[in-house]
Amino acid sequence: MTRSGLARAVLAGFRHPAQVVAAAFAFAIAAGTALLSAPFATADGRPADLLDAFFTATSAVCVTGLATVDTADHWSPMGQVVILALVQAGGLGIMTLATLLAVLITGRLGLRARMLAQAETKTMQLTGLRRLIGQVAAFSLTAEVITAAVLAARFSAGYGEPYGRAAYLGVFHAVSAFNNAGFALWPDSLVRFAADPWICLPIATAVIVGGLGFPVVFELVRSWRRPRTWSVLTRLTVTITVLLLVCGTLTITAAEWSNPATLGALDRDDRLLAGFFTGAMPRSAGFNSLDIAQLHPSSLLITDALMFIGGGSAGTAGGIKVTTLGVLAFVVWTELRGESRVNVGRRRLGEGVQRQALAVALLGLTLVAAATYLLMLFTPHRLELVLFEAISAFATAGLSAGVTAELAPHGQVLIALLMFIGRVGPLTLFSALALRERTRHYELPEERTIVG
């Protein structure tokens, strides 16, 4: 196949993103299930239960972190390496696809490896495509290596772990953090490190950077001194990310400050650290330094909202994305001001983008509501805990109040399906809406109806 033919094939794949993305993720899950079902993957050397293998593979590929068995005790070192490879493949695949989609749609992210994907010509430079994928991979690996080095040094110097074990722990948790997966090698996740800033802060930083995404980070590095030149994607992602981090930290810290089962058992400085970590993780990370089941109901509600929103559109985080929330917020603000056009900074948002944001948000709400209803039929747990689990699965957050492991098999299959839809669905839905807009050559008579 010639280069031009290959470029057309790549572009054709983007014209039908739902089939391509869904098939790729399904294949990875199937391969992961087969590997985790083998005797070498379990600690006792016996073949793993097929449902446990399928659930774990789905959670890893969809970079969620929910589990039906303990990662450290149930899986052998080889099984853990398989999980780590699935997390890396899922996270890198998500970031690459989202970045390519962002460039294909917007055509102006200021990337040195810019691809010419203008709507009029429908063309793409194959060399630019290769260079961009290489840059995404290099960015991901660099962030993971830096995080792993810091964690490994801390595990070795602070906890007396042998160098090999410390390096393994550092790499595992660095990859899990940057890809917003949340798999940890301790039964209590990171609760034992709640007061250790050398563990919590590097992991939180990797989670936040991974959730921002390559296009946003690259633009920040290139023009952080000139915020007026930022694209709408970067402007919305950075602004709303900061607001959510601040609001999440303040509200959860305030609600849990005197709770003896969470922050109340820590010193003042440690409470601030644990409050920040707990407020940052609902971006889709899945790690926890506090017992989720012991959180105050108000903290669970705030965490629900943060998980549902998620992270950046071209990052490894899940949820409906901060850009979706930003677009809807500007739509509401424009309506309240009585204006006819939605403007963000010096740019006007097209009507298609507004419709896409509304569709993603409403479909997400519908899916979470339907899944919560079905899960209520399978478990005696309270509504707030079941809702928490459903949102965590849809948003690929991985935080758990202990409901998932106690579900019946059909309930766990539903959670796995929700993770798959939540991971693949928003990306394919947005790409399908953005890349398959149709121009109507006639207009119907306008009629206004009562709203509200």
Side-chain angles (χ1 to χ4, degrees):
M1 179 182 293
T2 64
R3 285 195 172 191
S4 60
L6 184 56
R8 286 193 296 271
V10 172
L11 183 60
F14 274 97
R15 292 176 64 85
H16 302 282
Q19 297 93 327
V20 175
V21 177
F25 275 79
F27 176 80
I29 290 172
T33 301
L35 290 173
L36 291 176
S37 298
F40 69 82
T42 58
D44 59 9
R46 285 186 260 177
D49 180 78
L50 183 60
L51 178 58
D52 290 334
F54 166 72
F55 190 97
T56 303
T58 303
S59 184
V61 172
C62 297
V63 291
T64 304
L66 289 174
T68 55
V69 294
D70 183 67
T71 304
D73 294 335
H74 185 80
W75 304 109
S76 67
M78 284 300 298
Q80 294 169 11
V81 170
V82 170
I83 293 173
L84 195 65
L86 294 175
V87 168
Q88 183 71 83
L92 188 58
I94 291 163
M95 182 170 288
T96 301
L97 289 170
T99 301
L100 292 175
L101 177 63
V103 175
L104 185 64
I105 293 172
T106 66
R108 63 158 310 275
L109 291 180
L111 302 175
R112 288 177 298 183
R114 184 179 298 127
M115 295 181 297
L116 301 179
Q118 297 153 351
E120 294 80 5
T121 60
K122 300 293 184 183
T123 60
M124 179 182 295
Q125 286 185 340
L126 187 59
T127 56
L129 173 63
R130 289 173 176 170
R131 193 179 303 122
L132 180 61
I133 293 176
Q135 288 182 334
V136 173
F139 163 66
S140 301
L141 294 177
T142 300
E144 290 169 356
V145 167
I146 294 173
T147 306
V150 176
L151 293 177
R154 181 57 178 169
F155 286 131
S156 177
Y159 297 93
E161 294 285 355
Y163 293 131
R165 173 68 176 172
Y168 175 70
L169 292 174
V171 170
F172 188 96
H173 293 91
V175 173
S176 184
F178 179 80
N179 292 288
N180 278 234
F183 282 96
L185 295 180
W186 296 278
D188 60 355
S189 189
L190 300 180
V191 172
R192 65 189 65 193
F193 304 111
D196 190 342
W198 291 100
I199 298 296
C200 292
L201 292 182
I203 287 179
T205 301
V207 166
I208 294 170
V209 172
L212 290 176
F214 173 74
V216 173
V217 172
F218 188 91
E219 188 168 0
L220 288 176
V221 171
R222 187 173 55 90
S223 57
W224 64 274
R225 294 182 179 180
R226 303 186 302 276
R228 291 187 177 183
T229 66
W230 292 354
S231 64
V232 173
L233 172 65
T234 298
R235 191 183 298 267
L236 289 178
T237 301
V238 172
T239 302
I240 298 178
T241 294
V242 172
L243 288 175
L244 293 179
L245 286 173
V246 172
C247 292
T249 299
L250 292 178
T251 53
I252 292 176
T253 302
E256 301 299 324
W257 190 264
S258 301
N259 185 349
T262 55
L263 293 183
L266 303 173
D267 296 334
R268 187 189 65 177
D269 292 344
D270 297 338
R271 293 183 193 184
L272 296 176
L273 174 63
F276 166 74
F277 191 82
T278 305
M281 290 306 103
R283 290 179 54 78
S284 186
F287 295 107
N288 60 282
S289 62
L290 299 177
D291 187 350
I292 298 297
Q294 301 299 322
L295 291 178
H296 191 274
S298 61
S299 298
L300 289 176
L301 180 61
I302 291 297
T303 306
D304 285 343
L306 293 174
M307 289 191 300
F308 185 77
I309 296 169
S313 295
T316 55
I320 63 171
K321 309 299 185 183
V322 294
T323 45
T324 301
L325 175 65
V327 169
L328 294 178
F330 273 99
V331 169
V332 172
W333 178 244
T334 300
E335 189 65 26
L336 291 176
R337 297 182 63 180
E339 298 179 354
S340 60
R341 302 295 183 187
V342 179
N343 300 319
V344 179
R346 299 182 178 182
R347 293 290 184 269
R348 176 172 57 86
L349 290 181
E351 294 181 357
V353 175
Q354 301 171 41
R355 293 194 301 269
Q356 292 154 19
L358 183 63
V360 169
L362 289 181
L363 288 175
L365 286 171
T366 302
L367 184 62
V368 167
T372 302
Y373 169 77
L374 292 176
L375 288 173
M376 289 294 294
L377 302 177
F378 305 150
T379 176
H381 289 286
R382 304 189 310 273
L383 172 61
E384 63 264 28
L385 298 181
V386 176
L387 176 63
F388 186 95
E389 219 78 4
I391 294 177
S392 181
F394 165 76
T396 66
L399 293 172
S400 177
V403 174
T404 295
E406 299 177 3
L407 287 173
H410 45 283
Q412 293 178 353
V413 171
L414 177 59
I415 289 290
L417 181 61
L418 194 59
M419 289 189 292
F420 182 80
I421 296 175
R423 179 73 277 175
V424 178
L427 180 62
T428 57
L429 173 62
F430 175 74
S431 57
L433 291 174
L435 297 178
R436 297 183 63 186
E437 286 188 347
R438 297 178 180 177
T439 302
R440 187 187 292 264
H441 297 288
Y442 62 91
E443 292 289 343
L444 297 174
E446 180 177 341
E447 178 178 341
R448 300 196 66 175
T449 186
I450 298 175
V451 177

